[in-house]
Amino acid sequence: MKRVLSIQSHVVHGYVGGKSAIFPLQSQGWDVDYINSVHFSNHTGYGSFVGNKLTTMDLNLILDQLINKMQIKYNAILSGYIPNSDLISCLGSYIKELKTRDPEIFYLLDPVMGDNDYLYVDKSCIEEYKKLMIEKIVNLITPNQFEVELITGIKIIDKTTLKEAISKLHKEFNIPLVVISSIKSGILNNDDSFISCILSVNNEIKYYNIPIINSYFTGVGDLFSALLLDKWFLNSNITDNLQRLSKSINQVLTIMNKTLNLTHKMGLELASKEGLNGDVKNLQGKINDGKTMKYFELKVIQSKEFFSYSDDGEFEELSLD
């Protein structure tokens, strides 16, 4: 059985972090060892929450027990939301040790730091992620556009600056496989009903345009990264890394599209059933608005049948000229 060590946020109610990632991986045959970087009542999109964060001492004790004392073998490592630089540094030192013992361990780093020009971790995390990446222990990175800009210091406004940022991730930060989970409309297309997902291997860049669903969903990036890890291993028979990554991305985007459409449909149905006032058919989840957010929690359990998708994908692969 494939085994992955996952380090992400945890919420009691809702679906972000590990709640978005663990079940999909388990449903596809992964044995998931997971560490909660935070333990919150609910995600922050509700506007209020309670809970606590993992201490560096506790993380060190847990990793030392798993890696040095129990000597557990992992096929992959997946990391997402980590709230401060000390935790990132601690994790990085153990991953470096693991990769020294077994260079075949695949590390997928989702450097969760913010979105839409809003930083929701300590600013020191930016520099710590840079240090971690330079160590040549990361195989695949899945930031969004804002996170790429934070890491590279390059504001992405067009194709040229996008290429510059991707090249910097490859060359300066030693990332073999780059996936930018979302690029705003207007950069690669002029249709504001689409965003784009980018992938690059050795600066050969492909992308997919994805239709926007008019609502705010949380946990999407966490589910995306977990599914991508699974599909990367599923497609291990493909020897060309660009083809392997492209097929994996297309499969993931297909699953995500099905999951988000189901989430949106079920959210509107629930709002209608509860007799929500107003135009229910145009209801949108809004950040920091618990009254609307509750309807659009990812339907991770209900989407179980989608996670095993293994066809080529339903999106058109495009090349960046």
Side-chain angles (χ1 to χ4, degrees):
M1 179 180 284
K2 300 165 293 186
R3 178 177 283 118
V4 57
L5 176 62
S6 172
I7 303 94
Q8 302 191 62
S9 61
H10 171 76
V11 293
V12 175
H13 174 79
Y15 288 88
V16 300
K19 288 284 289 289
S20 288
I22 294 165
F23 175 74
L25 285 167
Q26 290 173 330
S27 74
Q28 300 311 301
W30 286 85
D31 191 352
V32 185
D33 287 357
Y34 53 95
I35 299 172
N36 300 328
S37 60
V38 300
H39 189 116
F40 290 161
S41 56
N42 52 276
H43 64 69
T44 58
Y46 280 90
S48 65
F49 65 95
V50 296
N52 53 67
K53 299 176 181 179
L54 181 69
T55 68
T56 307
M57 179 182 293
D58 283 340
L59 178 59
N60 184 71
L61 289 172
I62 291 169
L63 290 173
D64 182 59
Q65 175 70 17
L66 296 174
I67 293 169
N68 295 324
K69 295 178 181 177
M70 298 178 69
Q71 298 188 344
I72 296 174
K73 306 297 183 184
Y74 294 102
N75 301 98
I77 300 163
L78 172 64
S79 68
Y81 178 79
I82 302 175
N84 61 64
S85 59
D86 289 338
L87 289 171
I88 296 169
S89 177
C90 178
L91 175 63
S93 65
Y94 278 97
I95 295 176
K96 187 177 180 180
E97 184 177 340
L98 279 172
K99 296 273 280 190
T100 300
R101 297 179 191 176
D102 181 5
E104 296 302 311
I105 295 175
F106 190 86
Y107 178 26
L108 191 158
L109 166 63
D110 183 7
V112 180
M113 293 186 285
D115 200 2
N116 296 317
D117 299 323
Y118 177 71
L119 186 70
Y120 43 67
V121 295
D122 189 89
K123 191 174 181 180
S124 62
C125 291
I126 302 170
E127 293 304 315
E128 201 60 48
Y129 275 127
K130 291 180 182 181
K131 292 177 185 177
L132 187 151
M133 289 185 287
I134 290 172
E135 292 284 354
K136 297 184 179 181
I137 59 175
V138 179
N139 298 92
L140 194 162
I141 190 171
T142 59
N144 58 36
Q145 179 177 335
F146 178 55
E147 290 157 350
V148 172
E149 293 171 343
L150 290 174
I151 294 166
T152 63
I154 298 171
K155 184 69 175 177
I156 299 172
I157 57 173
D158 52 23
K159 288 183 180 180
T160 300
T161 49
L162 174 60
K163 289 178 180 179
E164 288 174 358
I166 290 172
S167 179
K168 192 168 184 177
L169 288 172
H170 282 309
K171 294 180 180 179
E172 185 172 323
F173 293 106
N174 304 310
I175 309 298
L177 308 172
V178 171
V179 174
I180 305 177
S181 58
S182 59
I183 290 286
K184 297 175 184 176
S185 57
I187 306 266
L188 297 180
N189 61 74
N190 295 317
D191 189 340
D192 60 7
S193 62
F194 290 89
I195 58 173
S196 301
C197 177
I198 314 293
L199 62 111
S200 176
V201 179
N202 297 323
N203 276 315
E204 188 169 356
I205 304 170
K206 306 289 183 181
Y207 71 97
Y208 294 94
N209 288 327
I210 312 154
I212 294 173
I213 300 173
N214 289 320
S215 189
Y216 186 86
F217 304 97
T218 56
V220 175
D222 306 313
L223 177 59
F224 177 91
S225 295
L227 292 172
L228 181 54
L229 177 66
D230 177 59
K231 299 310 174 188
W232 175 260
F233 275 75
L234 177 69
N235 295 316
S236 60
N237 61 308
I238 301 175
T239 56
D240 181 272
N241 279 345
L242 183 64
Q243 292 178 13
R244 181 178 177 182
L245 187 58
S246 182
K247 181 175 181 178
S248 300
I249 290 289
N250 206 338
Q251 290 170 332
V252 171
L253 292 177
T254 301
I255 297 169
M256 295 296 301
N257 191 50
K258 293 176 184 292
T259 300
L260 290 177
N261 276 297
L262 178 62
T263 297
H264 191 246
K265 175 176 177 289
M266 292 183 69
L268 296 181
E269 289 174 351
L270 179 59
S272 179
K273 183 178 179 180
E274 292 186 351
L276 189 71
N277 294 330
D279 185 6
V280 172
K281 68 179 180 180
N282 291 317
L283 178 68
Q284 298 181 23
K286 298 177 182 178
I287 191 70
N288 294 329
D289 179 13
K291 292 180 180 179
T292 58
M293 290 296 294
K294 68 177 184 178
Y295 295 113
F296 299 106
E297 289 285 356
L298 288 181
K299 299 299 183 283
V300 172
I301 307 302
Q302 296 88 338
S303 299
K304 178 182 177 181
E305 65 181 275
F306 304 146
F307 302 150
S308 59
Y309 181 87
S310 59
D311 290 344
D312 290 339
E314 300 176 356
F315 290 85
E316 180 184 4
E317 179 192 84
L318 301 168
S319 295
L320 189 62
D321 300 325

